[in-house]
Amino acid sequence: MRVVAVLAIGGLALSAAACGSKPASNNGSSGGKKYKACMVTDTGGIDDKSFNTSAWAGLQAAKKDNADIDIKYVTSAAETNYEPNLNALVAEKCDLVVAVGGLMGDATKAAATKNPNQKFAIIDSKIDLANVYSMQFNTAQAGFLAGYLAAGTSKSGTVATWGGLKIPPVTIFMDGFAEGVAEYNKVKSKTVKVLGWDNKTQEGTFAGSFNDQNKGKQITDGFVAQGADVVMPVAGGAGQGSAAAAQASGGKLAVIWVDQDGCDSVKQYCPVFLSTVVKNISDAVKDAALKGAKGESLTGSYTGTLANNGVSLAPFHEYDSKVPADLKKELDQLKADIGSGKIKIESPAQPK
């Protein structure tokens, strides 16, 4: 989703920026040369329970597998600080500098152009430079499954989705969701409505923030007033506003989370999570760091799909008994049909 941006502190304030603690594990240590893998979050911050948290978990997992990897993150306080933060990590001699989020595309391209011998990686953007490894995720595919699931479990016949910002890493989720609902309507001859996004006009509802939970709850309450009983926020931490609204609804509203399985990342809200559209950022970042530490070349790009488990639909957890067995089978078949190309998703935000 989430595309989600992270707050940058800026070059001058970099020394005061929050740095992640390093895991104590020495597993995998070879006593060899240290490899420094660093990360710049976007404005959502390290604890957004979404894509920044996922990226950091990936570096932590790489460190656990190879103790010769040192890891660090810097939190961004504003978009204008992205490039200074990236350049500062280059100055600190990080072997790999990971930019988290599509909003860092321009800053990463500028920093990579300025530092051609430095290896960068970026999430949710594709940069055609030899020293940038691009990691993208076709979340429209898993979003399609989520839309079909939402339509298949809705009692009111109205579901909703909304975003943090109107950017491709966000709208790609919403496109898939709307197409999944449309597929359900076609197959079942139903008329389930989608509030918050029109994938044909590419217009919808956005909070203007990945952090404002109050705004998220306000948006969600508005959808509930219009009859929605399933909602998918694509808004990082702001999406917790939807979870809070569902928690207060007494079981009348279910939430589909994004990025990390909500029952792992926002455990207090697990009872209201129908499922999660998972963007497997953690494994992609982990693999990049491990390859870099081994001296393997990080070139080109990676695209996460349903077929390679780069994106997925999470377990139903506490909703498992409420999802009909026939619907579960249909979702499995849809996953196979998307993987084979039998079902084609039309989102203009899909990785090219």
Side-chain angles (χ1 to χ4, degrees):
M1 9 150 220
R2 355 240 32 147
V3 173
V4 180
V6 178
L7 302 176
I9 290 213
L12 294 177
L14 190 58
S15 61
C19 295
S21 59
K22 300 171 187 174
S25 170
N26 286 320
N27 294 345
S29 176
S30 63
K33 180 181 179 296
K34 289 290 185 179
Y35 180 86
K36 191 171 183 179
C38 305
M39 181 182 114
V40 177
T41 71
D42 75 358
T43 55
I46 199 69
D47 196 34
D48 65 350
K49 312 298 184 186
S50 189
F51 66 99
N52 291 291
T53 301
S54 296
W56 180 238
L59 288 185
Q60 289 177 306
K63 170 68 175 175
K64 186 175 181 180
D65 278 13
N66 182 350
D68 290 327
I69 297 176
D70 286 335
I71 60 176
K72 173 180 182 174
Y73 71 80
V74 174
T75 303
S76 300
E79 292 182 25
T80 53
N81 298 137
Y82 291 157
E83 189 176 346
N85 280 354
L86 292 166
N87 286 326
L89 290 179
V90 173
E92 288 189 29
K93 300 191 182 304
C94 294
D95 295 289
L96 175 66
V97 177
V98 181
V100 185
L103 290 179
M104 286 198 201
D106 290 343
T108 303
K109 185 174 183 179
T113 301
K114 180 181 178 181
N115 302 282
N117 295 320
Q118 171 68 48
K119 177 57 68 176
F120 292 88
I122 187 166
I123 294 165
D124 284 339
S125 184
K126 186 174 183 182
I127 298 175
D128 294 320
L129 292 174
N131 60 330
V132 181
Y133 180 62
S134 301
M135 292 174 277
Q136 297 178 286
F137 301 84
N138 196 340
T139 46
Q141 294 185 344
F144 186 101
L145 300 182
Y148 197 95
L149 169 66
T153 54
S154 173
K155 293 181 174 62
S156 68
T158 301
V159 299
T161 184
W162 62 277
L165 294 174
K166 189 181 178 183
I167 51 179
V170 170
T171 60
I172 185 174
F173 284 89
M174 301 165 80
D175 280 334
F177 184 85
E179 289 193 37
V181 173
E183 178 71 9
Y184 181 86
N185 287 338
K186 182 177 76 172
V187 170
K188 305 291 185 180
S189 298
K190 299 290 187 180
T191 55
V192 178
K193 291 194 303 182
V194 177
L195 305 177
W197 184 244
D198 185 327
N199 58 332
K200 293 182 174 59
T201 64
Q202 294 286 294
E203 296 295 337
T205 302
F206 298 90
S209 167
F210 291 111
N211 307 303
D212 191 342
Q213 294 183 30
N214 290 331
K215 182 67 173 178
K217 186 175 185 302
Q218 179 185 10
I219 289 171
T220 305
D221 287 341
F223 288 147
V224 171
Q226 297 176 69
D229 60 357
V230 182
V231 62
M232 184 180 78
V234 189
Q240 292 184 59
S242 286
Q247 193 176 62
S249 75
K252 295 178 181 177
L253 176 67
V255 172
I256 295 176
W257 196 243
V258 299
D259 291 337
Q260 281 191 312
D261 187 331
C263 284
D264 294 332
S265 61
V266 202
K267 294 180 180 179
Q268 69 270 31
Y269 291 125
C270 186
V272 306
F273 289 144
L274 174 57
S275 185
T276 300
V277 177
V278 176
K279 180 192 289 189
N280 199 350
I281 292 172
S282 296
D283 280 357
V285 172
K286 174 187 174 181
D287 289 348
L290 289 174
K291 286 179 180 178
K294 290 178 184 176
E296 296 180 20
S297 177
L298 279 177
T299 58
S301 62
Y302 161 84
T303 298
T305 65
L306 285 174
N308 64 19
N309 200 41
V311 300
S312 63
L313 193 64
F316 308 120
H317 296 290
E318 296 185 33
Y319 270 86
D320 189 70
S321 63
K322 300 176 185 178
V323 179
D326 287 348
L327 180 55
K328 292 175 181 177
K329 290 179 182 178
E330 290 174 52
L331 290 169
D332 287 340
Q333 186 60 54
L334 287 170
K335 177 181 177 180
D337 289 345
I338 293 170
S340 70
K342 183 177 179 180
I343 292 179
K344 298 188 183 301
I345 299 170
E346 303 299 328
S347 173
Q350 289 179 104
K352 300 295 190 288

